[in-house]
Amino acid sequence: ADNRTTGRETYNTAVGYEALRGSTTAANNIGQYNTAIGDQALFSNASGFENTASGHKALYSNTYGYRNTASGTWALYSNTYGSWNTASGAYALFYNTEGHNNTASGAWALYHNTSGDNNTASGRGALYSNTTGSANTASGFQALYYNRANSRSTAIGYQAMYYADNRTTGRETYNTA
């Protein structure tokens, strides 16, 4: 978005109602090289750059995050500062705000992640409950579903390590299934 009275080249592309709307303070809209396709995609983006959002409210809350890709309705919805994330599927990485370098493929994959980094979730509901755990890999329907704060865990298969972290306290773990 660039709604200032004196323009500059932004190289932004927006298609859809309020796509790349940006800040209500015109001078804050300095983001460049963004692509937003869909109703309110990249709605809040002000200075984030090189983001791609495709789908209803994809990357909706992004303000400063950069180099994110969100494809699917509400994908990366809560992201504000997180960068280098890829979310593909409805609600993938929905609660991510500050997490970096995450990849979520499948509806609700990494749904609750807020600040965990370097996670890979492939499959519907994979790493669904993860909030702060980092460097986890889950592949399969609901793999590592209840992992909240464990880090460096790997689970492959249908509901693999489903109850891996049924705690509210985090600690470093090294699990593989």
Side-chain angles (χ1 to χ4, degrees), residues 23-102:
S23 172
T24 55
T25 304
N28 291 342
N29 292 319
I30 60 173
Q32 292 183 297
Y33 304 101
N34 295 293
T35 301
I37 300 171
D39 173 53
Q40 297 182 329
L42 271 165
F43 178 82
S44 303
N45 196 75
S47 63
F49 60 92
E50 296 177 1
N51 294 295
T52 301
S54 174
H56 172 70
K57 296 191 179 187
L59 271 165
Y60 178 89
S61 302
N62 193 75
T63 49
Y64 306 105
Y66 56 90
R67 296 189 177 120
N68 294 295
T69 301
S71 177
T73 187
W74 300 68
L76 269 164
Y77 174 85
S78 303
N79 194 74
T80 53
Y81 294 96
S83 298
W84 296 93
N85 295 296
T86 301
S88 178
Y91 304 96
L93 275 163
F94 180 85
Y95 282 110
N96 191 80
T97 54
E98 300 175 8
H100 303 289
N101 303 311
N102 294 295

Side-chain angles (χ1 to χ4, degrees), residues 136-159:
N136 294 298
T137 302
S139 180
F141 176 79
Q142 296 181 337
L144 278 167
Y145 187 83
Y146 278 113
N147 186 83
R148 289 182 179 92
N150 278 343
S151 293
R152 298 186 180 113
S153 295
T154 301
I156 299 170
Y158 177 87
Q159 293 185 334

Side-chain angles (χ1 to χ4, degrees), residues 126-139:
L127 275 163
Y128 175 85
S129 301
N130 192 78
T131 55
T132 59
S134 295
N136 294 298
T137 302
S139 180

